[in-house]
Amino acid sequence: MRNVTFLHVAREGWPLIALAAVGGLLAYSFLAWWALLPFLGLAGLLVGYFHDADRRALAEPLAVVTPADGRVIHRRECYDPFLDREAVRVSLDVARFGSYFLRAPVEGTVLELASDAWPEFRGTASWIRTDEGDDVVIAVSEGAMFGARPCQARYGERVGQGRRCGMRRLARRIDLYLPVDTRLEVDLDQRVTAGCCALAKLMHKKNGNGSGQGQAA
């Protein structure tokens, strides 16, 4: 999918910024210059919240890149309720004024999750399968996504490693469920940057001629 910005601000933020600007002009016209200040402050906060500068996506074979700016708050083996498997979960506390767009953690194809497999989950999730057959689930477990999935590409479409795939909106926590033999490359409380940092590495055994099973994830 194609996600674009104007002046590095996500398009869905501009209506709110415009409302703040109009409110400021009305306050200035009917009251006084000082009535404009709260609206200018609000507009500035909205610009910061919806801001998303271009990032140089990490190009590292089999790496799982960070989907959002934030801090690592969980990293251990667990049960993956979405794909009914043992997995490694990495959880991020999402930065409020970090990148507004989410980045795809791996390159691969977006598949549909069966909703009846996780009836008690109150958030939203996306499933990506790499060309090497690794299954990665990105889930927003806290915060409002207003009905959107983390990866807003249509089922069957491909997403690129570290490329924009959706918007974080009011997401507060993002969980990544990775294959159980994944090698983690981050520490607890480490701050990470969307699209630019490797959270983990998908492990593949070497074949007989010494080459790996796949290229980039």
Side-chain angles (χ1 to χ4, degrees):
M1 65 178 296
R2 179 173 175 78
N3 291 297
V4 296
T5 61
F6 176 65
L7 298 178
H8 296 301
V9 174
R11 286 186 298 184
E12 69 175 41
W14 281 110
L16 295 176
I17 296 169
L19 282 175
V22 170
L25 289 175
L26 291 175
Y28 176 76
S29 300
F30 292 101
L31 295 174
W33 67 268
W34 49 264
L36 175 64
L37 298 180
F39 293 93
L40 287 178
L42 176 60
L45 287 174
L46 289 171
V47 168
Y49 188 81
F50 289 101
H51 182 267
D52 195 291
D54 292 332
R55 301 279 176 90
R56 183 181 294 276
L58 181 69
E60 184 178 331
L62 301 176
V64 179
V65 303
T66 308
D69 292 342
R71 181 173 58 89
V72 178
I73 57 174
H74 183 97
R75 39 152 286 168
R76 65 172 55 183
E77 292 185 14
C78 70
Y79 172 71
D80 176 1
F82 303 97
L83 298 181
D84 189 22
R85 60 172 179 168
E86 293 301 314
V88 171
R89 188 178 77 194
V90 180
S91 301
L92 303 176
D93 179 32
V94 179
R96 289 290 184 272
F97 289 92
S99 62
Y100 188 70
F101 281 98
L102 298 176
R103 267 67 177 180
V106 293
E107 180 179 350
T109 303
V110 178
L111 302 177
E112 184 175 6
L113 285 167
S115 59
D116 58 354
W118 33 284
E120 297 181 0
F121 181 66
R122 298 182 181 274
T124 182
S126 294
W127 172 18
I128 304 172
R129 175 169 288 168
T130 71
D131 294 338
E132 294 76 29
D134 295 301
D135 292 313
V136 174
V137 175
I138 173 173
V140 175
S141 57
E142 296 178 11
M145 289 288 283
F146 303 114
R149 291 176 286 115
C151 286
Q152 295 175 18
R154 292 190 294 270
Y155 299 127
E157 283 190 346
R158 291 183 61 81
V159 290
Q161 182 191 48
R163 303 294 183 181
R164 290 168 174 162
C165 67
M167 290 166 282
R168 63 175 166 82
R169 295 186 170 168
L170 298 181
R172 298 197 307 270
R173 172 174 169 151
I174 291 177
D175 300 313
L176 284 173
Y177 293 87
L178 311 172
V180 72
D181 59 349
T182 300
R183 186 181 71 206
L184 296 176
E185 308 226 327
V186 289
D187 299 318
L188 282 176
D189 291 324
Q190 180 176 332
R191 296 200 173 273
V192 289
T193 305
C196 304
C197 296
L199 291 174
K201 189 94 167 187
L202 300 171
M203 304 305 295
H204 286 264
K205 294 179 180 179
K206 305 257 185 199
N207 60 26
N209 61 12
S211 61
Q213 283 187 339
Q215 300 298 319

